Amino acid sequence: MGNDWKNCELGDVIELKRGYDLPKTKRIKGGVPVVSSSGTSGEHNAIKVAAPGVVTGRYGTIGEVFYIEDDFWPLNTTLYVRDFKGNDPLYVYYLLKTIRYSDYTDKGAVPGINRNHIHKAKVKVPICPKYQRTLAINLFDLDKKVELNRQTNQTLELMAQALFKSWFVDFDPVFDNLLAKIDFKLENLASDLPAELLKNAQKRLHALQERALQQSCDLHALLAESQNNIHSHFPSEFEFSEQIGWIPKGWEETTIDELCRINPQSWTKKNAPKAVKYVDLANAKNGAIGEIANYTFDDAPSRARRILQPHDTIIGVVRPANRSFAYVNEEGLTGSTGFVVVRAKKENYRAFSYLALTNEDCIKEFTRIADGAAYPAIKPEDVAKAECVFSSDAILDKFEYTVGALMKKIAANEQQITPLISLRDTLLPKLISGELQIPDVVPA
């Protein structure tokens, strides 16, 4: 039958081999993925292993497994499958994800995996490669759905960041109004316009001219619709701020704590719940919350104290360059005290404050001011006093309306991701071990 199984050692199913040295100084860009124990970590112009490939960590990050769909170069910190011995590569990928690597880790100062030891791992596998493939595809389809939602969310996040930069960093609508007022002719600009503003006006005019060319319209027509909707809320002049330089006329320099409350709520012995859904620093990355751990309050980590609400921004204080930040989309979460929780005082400050604190310039500034050699960290007051510009409630209403819609789409996708991951993690050990079987597949 297609779903007959056998008990054997891992070495009977595959042969693992150590990867190859390739210092960063010797890598040449060429589109070939360089795979380390933590995944793809660069590129090279030479191929060591033909795809498909399966790679796991030998030293460094232990227990992660990667399915590589392009020809690649596995580094010497990895073990890769040299010989699949007739077994399906995708099935082997999921099989390796079920191995308890801690049982085969050296006890030295730098733990590592010995391939001869892990070859002795006891496994149960289907004999038929076609049946292996069918099992793997069921899991792969779930992973693809998760990945598609994550990619969509990354795109939506980039769109939100781009709009924030356009409105509140580059001040594009203000330059648009300025250029429209002078009939898009730079020679009509005031002769005393500062060089910085003149350069930015030239750059913006060039961008508008390209858009007008693409849309086969003139510059006035290009801005006509926007002027009625968005641009009418923006000024057409600038003024100088001693603190942050040139800003749109009538706007004010401010700090995040003027717009938001910092660490507004925490659990104590008096108000502690019976259970918490806990978010640690490691589970917030680049705007999204990953795995959520469920604990009784008594068994939860001592750092599980920050009360989170939907639309809060959380910023990890340790190593800001790691980008441990997220926008909260779920009810009833508890965050680590390693986060600074930022809660907008008004609804139209939500998206603005999140993007003001997580844009590239702000993260670089947090990284610069972080104290401590071993664990460089910022303080809650650093987040509170982060500088930004306040435009007007009308502009922030428009921004929240536009970006808030993107954030709602991100939240909806995240709500789909969680049950998909849960289903995959439930099915993985059951399918791979044979505890749960699918209809027989007749061997070809």
Side-chain angles (χ1 to χ4, degrees):
M1 298 293 289
N3 62 349
D4 288 340
W5 294 66
K6 66 177 180 180
N7 292 297
C8 58
E9 293 183 347
L10 183 62
D12 297 323
V13 181
I14 58 170
E15 179 191 354
L16 290 165
K17 188 178 185 302
R18 171 181 168 169
Y20 305 89
D21 293 342
L22 184 62
K24 288 184 178 180
T25 55
K26 294 187 176 180
R27 298 178 196 177
I28 302 171
K29 285 189 176 182
V32 177
V34 174
V35 184
S36 70
S37 61
S38 58
T40 301
S41 58
E43 61 179 275
H44 192 43
N45 67 343
I47 296 167
K48 271 295 185 185
V49 182
V54 178
V55 178
T56 189
R58 186 178 71 89
Y59 281 103
T61 303
I62 303 297
E64 294 288 327
V65 186
F66 307 98
Y67 185 72
I68 313 299
E69 298 184 89
D70 299 304
D71 297 343
F72 65 103
W73 184 300
L75 290 177
N76 65 331
T77 57
T78 70
L79 294 172
Y80 73 94
V81 179
R82 178 183 185 182
D83 186 356
F84 289 97
K85 300 186 177 182
N87 295 289
D88 181 74
L90 188 60
Y91 171 81
V92 168
Y93 161 69
Y94 286 109
L95 174 65
L96 289 181
K97 289 174 76 72
T98 67
I99 301 293
R100 195 165 73 174
Y101 289 88
S102 58
D103 292 344
Y104 307 96
T105 303
D106 295 336
K107 305 303 180 184
V110 182
I113 298 291
N114 184 310
R115 73 186 183 107
N116 294 319
H117 294 164
I118 202 167
H119 278 160
K120 297 295 184 182
K122 303 298 182 184
V123 295
K124 181 181 178 182
V125 299
I127 295 172
C128 174
K130 190 172 182 180
Y131 186 73
Q132 293 177 0
R133 185 71 179 179
T134 303
L135 291 177
I137 287 295
N138 278 271
L139 296 166
F140 190 67
D141 285 346
L142 291 173
D143 278 337
K144 279 296 184 184
K145 290 176 182 176
V146 170
E147 183 61 26
L148 178 60
N149 277 350
R150 284 177 171 162
Q151 289 176 354
T152 300
N153 280 358
Q154 288 173 3
T155 300
L156 293 171
E157 175 92 11
L158 289 173
M159 290 169 63
Q161 291 174 358
L163 188 64
F164 176 87
K165 185 174 185 293
S166 174
W167 286 20
F168 304 113
V169 178
D170 296 336
F171 308 127
D172 287 339
V174 183
F175 279 107
D176 292 349
N177 288 344
L178 172 62
L179 291 166
K181 192 166 68 173
I182 60 165
D183 199 26
F184 301 100
K185 296 176 181 177
L186 293 177
E187 60 269 23
N188 292 342
L189 284 171
S191 58
D192 60 348
L193 189 71
E196 179 185 347
L197 293 182
L198 177 59
K199 180 180 178 181
N200 290 337
Q202 292 171 329
K203 180 180 177 182
R204 182 58 181 168
L205 178 58
H206 180 69
L208 291 174
Q209 288 170 334
E210 286 192 342
R211 281 176 53 196
L213 184 63
Q214 291 170 358
Q215 298 180 28
S216 300
C217 65
D218 64 26
L219 292 171
H220 290 284
L222 181 68
L223 292 186
E225 184 177 347
S226 293
Q227 292 232 342
N228 293 331
N229 189 24
I230 298 297
H231 286 68
S232 60
H233 298 288
F234 287 80
S236 60
E237 299 177 63
F238 290 87
E239 58 190 9
F240 189 75
S241 161
E242 292 290 342
Q243 197 70 19
I244 54 179
W246 290 100
I247 61 174
K249 189 173 183 179
W251 291 21
E252 300 174 1
E253 58 192 72
T254 189
T255 54
I256 286 295
D257 60 348
E258 293 293 322
L259 309 178
C260 305
R261 292 186 288 274
I262 307 299
N263 293 334
Q265 291 177 288
S266 296
W267 297 122
T268 65
K269 290 183 178 180
K270 291 183 178 180
N271 69 349
K274 291 182 179 180
V276 295
K277 295 192 292 184
Y278 178 56
V279 181
D280 199 1
L281 259 68
N283 297 322
K285 187 75 172 178
N286 283 327
I289 292 173
E291 183 180 351
I292 296 169
N294 293 290
Y295 294 100
T296 64
F297 186 80
D298 291 340
D299 291 335
S302 60
R303 295 168 68 86
R305 293 294 182 269
R306 301 279 191 234
I307 299 175
L308 307 182
Q309 291 184 2
H311 310 294
D312 284 349
T313 294
I314 53 176
I315 307 285
V317 298
V318 178
R319 295 192 176 94
N322 286 348
R323 303 178 65 84
S324 296
F325 61 78
Y327 188 80
V328 179
N329 286 312
E330 185 174 338
E331 295 272 4
L333 298 183
T334 295
S336 166
T337 52
F339 290 117
V340 177
V341 180
V342 181
R343 185 169 300 160
K345 294 178 180 179
K346 297 174 64 175
E347 183 176 340
N348 62 355
Y349 297 168
R350 292 170 176 174
F352 174 82
S353 58
Y354 166 69
L355 293 163
L357 288 169
T358 60
N359 70 80
E360 196 63 35
D361 289 341
C362 193
I363 295 299
K364 286 180 179 178
E365 178 62 13
F366 286 156
T367 302
R368 185 187 69 81
I369 65 176
D371 287 333
Y375 296 98
I378 56 174
K379 301 179 286 296
E381 48 265 38
D382 294 325
V383 175
K385 296 304 178 185
E387 295 176 345
C388 59
V389 289
F390 181 82
S391 51
S392 69
D393 278 326
I395 290 175
L396 291 179
D397 282 343
K398 292 288 186 181
F399 188 75
E400 182 67 32
Y401 177 80
T402 304
V403 175
L406 300 179
M407 306 304 272
K408 286 179 181 178
K409 291 179 182 178
I410 290 173
N413 288 337
E414 286 182 353
Q415 288 173 0
Q416 293 179 26
I417 288 172
T418 301
L420 286 171
I421 291 176
S422 178
L423 177 59
R424 180 205 62 196
D425 291 346
T426 300
L427 289 177
L428 176 60
K430 295 181 182 294
L431 286 174
I432 295 301
S433 69
E435 179 184 344
L436 178 64
Q437 299 202 15
I438 57 178
D440 287 354
V441 176
V442 179

